[in-house]
Amino acid sequence: DAGVIQSPRHEVTEMGQEVTLRCKPISGHNSLFWYRQTMMRGLELLIYFNNNVPIDDSGMPEDRFSAKMPNASFSTLKIQPSEPRDSAVYFCASSLLAGGNEQFFGPGTRLTVL
Amino acid sequence: GNSVTQMEGPVTLSEEAFLTINCTYTATGYPSLFWYVQYPGEGLQLLLKATKADDKGSNKGFEATYRKETTSFHLEKGSVQVSDSAVYFCALSPGRDDKIIFGKGTRLHILP
């Protein structure tokens, strides 16, 4: 298996632009997680899905952030409009739905908002 | 609530030194416990896990024992290598859902 795939790996954009991050989970996994990592705040869980349904989005910073999972093999995280404080590394992870199972992380998308 | 506290870094050691990174947790019930490692420029990856009290997880020379009486899961390695330089995250899963609660991470530098 190729593991969790994220694209793009790097994104540089200007303040106010829309940014879309993409994730393909490991085939057969039915839980998907979006995290954000910064030096100041560490690793933060933004939202997670079970069987394509959002379960907990309490970590989404504000209405500028939205996430979708239209099918079992694809998810997006959108920021509109983007701001410099959104600059971070965004990780997607997937796991088997069973509680306490290992999460497999993608390589991350490094976002820079100028 | 559920939380994880781990020692702050950075931790700097010489090659072949003994490593301990402390981790304590607060949780209701019987969580599973994990150590994840993040190498530069990469995502996190599972290093080891333990699912019940007194279990010992081990991998790549690293070990950690689930101590319910002290609510701890300290990471140890007898002889570190330069290639162990990374950020280490202690984490728990309460088991009622699929969320994993991560600590803030400890950066480890190993000097040759």
Side-chain angles (χ1 to χ4, degrees), chain A residues 37 48 56 97-100 103, chain B residues 34 36 38 44 46 93 98-99:
Chain A
Q37 186 178 41
Y48 80 97
D56 183 351
L97 174 60
Q103 290 184 13
Chain B
F34 307 85
Y36 279 77
Q38 183 179 29
L44 282 69
L46 182 67
S93 175
D98 292 282
K99 288 170 63 172

Side-chain angles (χ1 to χ4, degrees), chain B residues 49-66:
Chain B
K49 68 183 280 189
T51 58
K52 62 183 186 296
D54 300 325
D55 268 2
K56 178 185 284 187
S58 61
N59 186 25
K60 299 181 181 180
F62 290 89
E63 294 183 339
T65 301
Y66 190 143

